[in-house]
Amino acid sequence: MIPDNNKALDLLNCYVKEQSNLDHNLIVGYGMLGIAKYLEKDETEQNYWFVAGVLHDIDIEEYGDCIEKHCIIGEEILKKEGLSKNLIDDIKSHNDVLNIERNSEIRYALWAVDALSGIIRAYVLMRPDKDVKKAELKSIKKKIKDKSFAQNVSREQIKSCEENLKMTLDDFVDSVLKEVKENISFN
Ligand SMILES: [Fe+2]
Ligand SMILES: [Fe+2]
């Protein structure tokens, strides 16, 4: 089963409680929707991409320090909830430790949006007004360039959009940011 958008949001809220973790999954979900729209996916595919993003870290509060368990616990949760195997496999592919081949646009997108999410959230929280609506493409790009900002975020992973999705960094960031600004508030 592929849940619709509302069901996916319900599942997220059921398993993830910490605000920072909710924010992260939401940014990735709406970011994935933005990329799916840019790539002119149809509505069914857009739903699939959104759901993959929103549920990609469903086990984020469960696996603790053991990264090997990340997405394995998630798989158990999502299986129990009746989600389709192909969706679970696409989600699992974002954990590098599991060595699952990234061989499709959705897997490439999930990997790159996951990293970009870290920059966007850190940037918004740094602003005194915490207003995501004021986040501009050029500010986010500046932070991507600034290696001292959100140091743990892999810039290489973000920039993989160019080779893997044939999107410029501008188009990639812009597509993610547009949906995030329309749908999420951090304050
Ligand atoms: Fe993850
Ligand atoms: Fe993530």
Side-chain angles (χ1 to χ4, degrees):
M1 175 268 286
I2 309 295
D4 65 20
N5 291 7
N6 286 334
K7 169 74 181 160
L9 292 169
D10 285 349
L11 281 174
L12 174 67
N13 285 307
C14 178
Y15 288 94
V16 177
K17 301 295 175 198
E18 264 184 49
Q19 194 59 48
S20 59
N21 295 333
L22 284 167
D23 289 349
H24 173 64
N25 279 291
L26 287 172
I27 297 171
V28 176
Y30 285 106
M32 288 294 282
L33 178 63
I35 303 301
K37 285 184 181 174
Y38 178 90
L39 295 174
E40 299 181 335
K41 303 293 177 191
D42 65 23
E43 231 170 90
T44 309
E45 283 279 289
Q46 286 180 23
N47 165 244
Y48 185 102
W49 284 50
F50 175 77
V51 170
V54 159
L55 300 179
H56 84 288
D57 277 343
I58 192 85
D59 61 359
I60 197 164
E61 288 165 11
E62 304 275 334
Y63 67 84
D65 290 333
C66 185
I67 192 70
E68 282 79 12
K69 287 188 183 164
H70 177 35
C71 296
I72 300 295
I73 298 172
E75 178 174 29
E76 284 167 21
I77 294 172
L78 297 176
K79 251 188 198 166
K80 193 179 82 187
E81 296 291 347
L83 269 70
S84 303
K85 184 182 181 315
N86 54 341
L87 177 57
I88 296 174
D89 288 344
D90 285 339
I91 287 173
K92 277 170 73 185
S93 73
H94 87 271
N95 185 0
D96 291 337
V97 173
L98 300 179
N99 271 322
I100 296 170
E101 196 189 353
R102 272 186 284 275
N103 53 7
S104 60
E105 280 183 320
I106 188 171
R107 292 185 183 191
Y108 289 136
L110 185 56
W111 196 59
V113 174
D114 197 14
L116 178 58
S117 163
I119 300 282
I120 293 177
R121 185 165 185 278
Y123 171 75
V124 173
L125 292 185
M126 188 200 77
R127 294 181 57 93
D129 57 15
K130 314 247 183 300
D131 187 354
V132 68
K133 304 239 177 323
K134 298 207 177 110
E136 285 177 29
L137 173 63
K138 69 171 191 310
S139 319
I140 299 295
K141 277 186 69 191
K142 221 167 152 188
K143 293 300 178 196
I144 293 173
K145 251 192 204 150
D146 175 3
K147 298 276 159 60
S148 67
F149 182 80
Q151 292 173 28
N152 58 339
V153 175
S154 162
R155 273 47 179 185
E156 197 190 316
Q157 202 170 322
I158 296 174
K159 288 180 184 157
S160 68
C161 64
E162 293 171 342
E163 198 183 323
N164 292 340
L165 297 168
K166 311 291 175 231
M167 290 177 78
T168 63
L169 184 63
D170 276 24
D171 286 341
F172 180 71
V173 175
D174 199 41
S175 305
V176 169
L177 206 52
K178 200 171 151 236
E179 286 299 322
V180 167
K181 283 162 89 163
E182 262 173 42
N183 293 289
I184 309 177
S185 80
F186 294 83
N187 46 9

